[in-house]
Amino acid sequence: MASKTTRVKIAKKPHIDEAERMAKAGMPTGHVEIYADDATSGLQLRVQGKRAFWVLKYGPATKTLGYVFAEKAPHRLITAVSEARELAAEAKKVLDDDPRKFESFLSTYYAIQERDPEQARKEARGQVNTWTLRQCIEYVIEDRTLPGAKEPLKNPYEYQLTLKRPELQTLLDQPVATMERGDFDDARDALKKQYGKSAANKAISNIRGSLDYCMRLQSKASGLSHNDRWWKLIENAGSVGKRDRLPTVDDIVKIMIVLEDYLQKPLPGRKERDGKAGVRANVFAAAWWLVLTGQRTFAALHLQRHEFFPDKEAAPGWYIAAWPKTVMKATVDFALPIPPRVVQHMLPLIEAAKSEVNDGSVWAFPSGRKPKKGSEKKDITVSQSAVRQALQRLRGRDPLMKNESGKIKDGAVDFFAKLGVPWWSPHDLRKRLGKTLDKAGIPGGSSAVLAHKIKMPDLPGNDREREEWLEQHVEDVTAAAYHNPGHMHLKSKAILIWTNAILDRYEELHPTHRQAKKKAAAERVLRVISSDAAQAEQSRARAMEVLPEVRKRLEATLLDHEQMLASLRKKTPAPVNDLRTALVEIEIAKADLDSFNANPASYAIEASRAKGVRGIHSLLVLPTEIPVDLEKEAPAYTELRDSYISGQIDYDTFRSAVVERYPITLDAFDDRTFVRPVTGDEVL
């Protein structure tokens, strides 16, 4: 950019008039005309584009003080050089005191300027000492949560959340007396873009409520007056329609599987990240925790590692997750029973998050970002917006997936659309949890999962006492959690139903788990085949031994029917229908006996199954497995076995066919069952 600097004692004529003329005509692109004032060090009058404006260069700071002319007619006009010099002198004092207060000083100055410019400078300097927006909100939280407060704050969590919003941090450190409603426009729009209309409206509402309260009870300290309640005029982010999003369990699980797939590779359309994973381990762990517990994002992610521990009062494998009231919306300490299956699922994820981002963190879901410079908090949790942002990336809506014109890059993929899954956010998980429990017949379960008060002692700072404290802390929390056994039982029942529904579908839909399940099912059947085939000779020998008994039974059956026919013929009148039935049964009995006489070995098949296919399978599967029915699950093997038992093939042929078809060994001296890896697609 080209610039021309002229050192002069700035005057109305010719400098200010000339600057205004050049601004109205418009300066060439990239060119800046600068008049540096000899009378006031650092004061400049600049012309750039279609603007003529006053600038103060002071130390490392370059601040715009006001305008001589601008095409869009700004309200901060300074047409007299004397006013610009006096304002510059006061501005230097503010920058010496605290550069962060400069904008507040300038806002106050222009708010009073029309009435009295000289008084404006004095009041602008004086107003800097009144409360900031942060102090106002903190006062409201403190005063309205005191015992016996006249206007108790029903939901301090929302006010605390407002203080944490990154989009409000600049405004929070400005004196409220120097602010005006327009100061909130950019922050409101940023909140709306990042979190949605509802969250933006809540933040604006909390700010309005805080300023109203401070104006009434702390007018002097806050500098607020009932004569100018400008905060009442701050516009909301827009009306919020009724949410009807209700993701199914499958909708949730499908997206979780996609998140997992991008733990080791970048998302499509984000190649500029060069090798970085599309999903960080701490965000993935946080997402699963939200899915499985159904807790609100802020509270769920503020879980300290020592607050996730084995439940000594429950069956083996159960854990308790506990949160202090300071992070809970209901402002009560809270404990949630965690089923063994969830514990086994979450512990590796929590460890992966820890090792990836912050081994020394006290949090179960630590942040991978470095704290802001000057921040007292060195150890923070993963951002409460991180999971939502990860989901947005799966929709192809991330800024890094857009080109310079703001359009989505060709490589970006909307996985929600690709999988036919309607958009859902972390908050929608809670609605599906409630619906699932309603369907299971415990509609009160979702409420129980969100409301149980316990007493939690403070963590000591003395490292020597920490180990003893942790042991006692676990005892205290567990005892408090079980103070109302029925309530804890309902929680356990509810969380078990919900998490089983999620994890069952996860294992069914996840390619790796599905393959493992097929493999386990195949191996379960192969164990039975191996054992049965190894005993086939003994099974056939035992079956042949009982064939004489089979003949006797068939002959006895035929004799019984013949005797019955003879008896019926002696009756008067003759029972015609009974006689016909008896004749049919005699014909069937004769056919069975003739079949046996023609091929006795074929009757050994059924006899052998008493000790074979149907007799041993229940002993060869694990206690948790479903018994094997080889006739249904391995018909090809059953056919081979029947051929051998009935004498159609010899044992060596049978043995060779079995070993060739299945990955098993039948050598007595070899303890191995499987001689090659079994895939989930193994043909049985």
Side-chain angles (χ1 to χ4, degrees):
M1 179 178 291
S3 64
K4 177 186 176 184
T5 302
T6 306
R7 296 204 62 84
V8 294
K9 185 176 181 179
I10 298 175
K12 172 69 174 171
K13 293 181 180 181
H15 310 115
I16 296 178
D17 289 347
E18 179 64 16
E20 184 176 1
R21 184 192 63 76
M22 287 190 291
K24 287 180 178 179
M27 294 291 289
T29 301
H31 184 79
V32 183
E33 188 78 20
I34 302 175
Y35 296 105
D37 189 30
D38 280 337
T40 301
S41 175
L43 180 64
Q44 297 179 351
L45 175 59
R46 296 186 179 185
V47 185
Q48 183 178 358
K50 292 192 173 184
R51 296 179 302 146
F53 53 100
W54 298 98
V55 169
L56 175 63
K57 286 181 66 65
Y58 189 63
T62 300
K63 301 290 186 181
T64 299
L65 298 177
Y67 295 84
V68 169
F69 171 82
E71 190 175 35
K72 295 184 179 180
H75 65 281
R76 295 182 171 184
L77 292 176
I78 299 178
T79 56
V81 66
S82 59
E83 183 181 355
R85 288 170 180 156
E86 291 172 359
L87 181 58
E90 292 296 327
K92 290 177 182 179
K93 297 176 185 178
V94 175
L95 293 172
D96 286 337
D97 179 33
D98 187 348
R100 294 176 300 177
K101 297 178 179 179
F102 178 80
E103 285 301 323
S104 300
F105 157 75
L106 210 60
S107 296
T108 301
Y109 171 78
Y110 283 108
I112 309 171
Q113 183 196 44
E114 292 183 5
R115 184 175 77 245
D116 187 340
E118 183 177 350
Q119 184 65 20
R121 289 190 293 276
K122 293 179 181 179
E123 290 193 29
R125 286 282 293 149
Q127 292 285 5
V128 171
N129 295 320
T130 55
W131 280 358
T132 63
L133 178 58
R134 186 186 306 278
Q135 289 173 304
C136 286
I137 297 175
E138 288 174 345
Y139 169 75
V140 170
I141 295 173
E142 180 181 1
D143 197 60
R144 294 181 64 183
T145 54
L146 290 173
K150 290 184 179 180
E151 300 178 38
L153 200 59
K154 294 181 179 179
N155 194 2
Y157 162 82
E158 291 292 350
Y159 281 72
Q160 292 163 353
L161 187 57
T162 299
L163 289 174
K164 296 176 186 293
R165 296 293 193 193
E167 296 77 10
L168 294 172
Q169 295 309 305
T170 301
L171 291 173
L172 287 167
D173 290 323
Q174 295 183 25
V176 292
T178 69
M179 301 176 111
E180 55 187 30
R181 63 174 180 171
D183 294 336
F184 290 85
D185 292 348
D186 290 343
R188 179 196 58 229
D189 293 344
L191 288 169
K192 176 182 175 182
K193 182 178 180 180
Q194 184 69 14
Y195 311 107
K197 291 180 183 178
S198 179
N201 289 345
K202 284 180 181 178
I204 295 299
S205 176
N206 294 339
I207 290 169
R208 289 199 205 101
S210 296
L211 298 184
D212 242 14
Y213 192 79
C214 289
M215 182 270 295
R216 290 188 289 110
L217 277 76
Q218 294 290 337
S219 180
K220 183 177 180 180
S222 66
L224 297 174
S225 169
H226 69 278
N227 292 324
D228 182 19
R229 287 188 272 189
W230 52 266
W231 57 90
K232 293 283 192 182
L233 302 177
I234 303 175
E235 288 289 337
N236 278 339
S239 59
V240 180
K242 184 179 179 181
R243 285 185 177 178
D244 56 1
R245 298 197 301 258
L246 185 62
T248 65
V249 169
D250 277 14
D251 291 338
I252 297 166
V253 170
K254 286 177 182 178
I255 296 302
M256 293 306 298
I257 291 173
V258 176
L259 282 176
E260 183 176 347
D261 192 34
Y262 286 93
L263 279 169
Q264 305 297 331
K265 58 185 178 182
L267 282 162
R270 286 172 62 91
K271 294 180 181 178
E272 61 271 24
R273 291 169 63 95
D274 278 340
K276 289 187 177 180
V279 181
R280 289 175 291 144
N282 57 340
V283 176
F284 182 64
W288 263 117
W289 188 243
L290 295 179
V291 167
L292 293 171
T293 65
Q295 298 301 298
R296 289 183 173 85
T297 304
F298 180 80
L301 302 185
H302 279 76
L303 176 73
Q304 295 196 41
R305 294 177 67 84
H306 70 266
E307 301 291 12
F308 187 46
F309 52 83
D311 185 354
K312 296 181 179 179
E313 297 295 322
W318 281 80
Y319 269 48
I320 286 179
W323 291 269
K325 63 183 178 183
T326 53
V327 301
M328 298 302 298
K329 183 175 181 179
T331 66
V332 294
D333 296 328
F334 178 72
L336 185 68
I338 306 297
R341 195 176 178 192
V342 177
V343 173
Q344 293 169 11
H345 186 82
M346 286 304 309
L347 284 180
L349 300 182
I350 291 174
E351 285 303 313
K354 173 186 173 184
S355 61
E356 180 182 285
V357 298
N358 190 347
D359 267 342
S361 178
V362 302
W363 303 107
F365 309 101
S367 173
R369 300 180 183 276
K370 293 182 179 179
K372 291 183 178 179
K373 190 174 181 181
S375 173
E376 295 181 1
K377 295 183 177 180
K378 304 300 181 184
D379 182 15
I380 57 177
T381 67
V382 65
S383 169
Q384 65 188 66
S385 63
V387 174
R388 183 185 179 92
Q389 289 172 342
L391 296 177
Q392 289 284 18
R393 292 188 193 108
L394 295 191
R395 297 177 78 192
R397 305 294 178 87
D398 188 73
L400 290 179
M401 294 176 172
K402 297 179 180 179
N403 54 31
E404 293 179 357
S405 62
K407 294 183 178 180
I408 300 298
K409 294 179 181 178
D410 292 338
V413 177
D414 183 344
F415 287 99
F416 280 82
K418 184 177 181 180
L419 296 173
V421 174
W423 165 251
W424 57 265
S425 69
H427 186 76
D428 300 321
L429 298 169
R430 295 160 63 81
K431 290 187 287 186
R432 171 48 60 192
L433 185 152
K435 290 290 185 181
T436 299
L437 297 181
D438 286 351
K439 189 175 181 180
I442 50 170
S446 56
S447 297
V449 166
L450 298 175
H452 188 58
K453 187 174 182 179
I454 61 174
K455 178 64 178 175
M456 299 173 68
D458 295 329
L459 176 67
N462 189 329
D463 290 340
R464 187 175 58 186
E465 299 174 357
R466 188 178 183 88
E467 187 173 344
E468 292 182 5
W469 178 90
L470 285 171
E471 183 177 350
Q472 184 59 45
H473 178 66
V474 169
E475 297 288 347
D476 291 345
V477 172
T478 303
Y482 280 91
H483 181 68
N484 183 341
H487 204 174
M488 200 64 173
H489 172 72
L490 182 57
K491 283 185 186 181
S492 299
K493 183 179 179 181
I495 198 71
L496 195 59
I497 290 172
W498 167 246
T499 55
N500 279 344
I502 291 290
L503 294 176
D504 283 349
R505 286 303 286 158
Y506 171 69
E507 292 178 359
E508 290 165 3
L509 296 177
H510 194 290
T512 302
H513 286 277
R514 191 167 61 241
Q515 191 73 3
K517 203 168 185 178
K518 286 183 178 180
K519 179 180 177 182
E523 290 181 349
R524 158 182 160 271
V525 175
L526 287 172
R527 284 198 303 273
V528 176
I529 290 176
S530 176
S531 179
D532 185 73
Q535 300 178 56
E537 283 187 304
Q538 295 93 319
S539 297
R540 187 176 190 278
R542 287 194 298 268
M544 298 303 289
E545 290 175 358
V546 301
L547 288 183
E549 294 297 326
V550 173
R551 178 194 291 274
K552 289 181 181 179
R553 188 175 66 250
L554 293 174
E555 291 174 342
T557 300
L558 176 59
L559 180 60
D560 287 344
H561 289 313
E562 288 176 339
Q563 290 176 347
M564 177 61 70
L565 178 62
S567 176
L568 290 172
R569 283 175 172 171
K570 293 179 180 179
K571 292 184 178 182
T572 304
V576 178
N577 290 334
D578 291 344
L579 287 170
R580 288 175 180 170
T581 300
L583 288 170
V584 170
E585 289 175 344
I586 288 173
E587 290 301 318
I588 293 173
K590 285 181 177 180
D592 289 342
L593 185 57
D594 290 343
S595 176
F596 177 84
N597 290 331
N599 185 12
S602 64
Y603 279 76
I605 295 173
E606 190 65 29
S608 72
R609 287 178 180 172
K611 298 289 184 180
V613 175
R614 292 175 181 166
I616 65 169
H617 62 266
S618 61
L619 302 176
L620 295 171
V621 295
L622 301 176
T624 56
E625 292 179 338
I626 300 172
V628 175
D629 184 343
L630 288 178
E631 288 184 85
K632 293 181 179 179
E633 299 184 62
Y637 170 75
T638 304
E639 184 178 348
L640 273 173
R641 186 184 190 279
D642 289 350
S643 296
Y644 165 64
I645 296 295
S646 64
Q648 298 177 45
I649 59 176
D650 60 25
Y651 180 69
D652 288 338
T653 303
F654 165 72
R655 176 193 176 97
S656 297
V658 171
V659 172
E660 181 180 351
R661 183 178 184 87
Y662 303 104
I664 63 178
T665 178
L666 299 178
D667 295 333
F669 58 84
D670 193 339
D671 292 333
R672 295 173 300 165
T673 299
F674 310 113
V675 295
R676 60 180 170 80
V678 181
T679 69
D681 299 320
E682 192 73 58
V683 178
L684 300 179

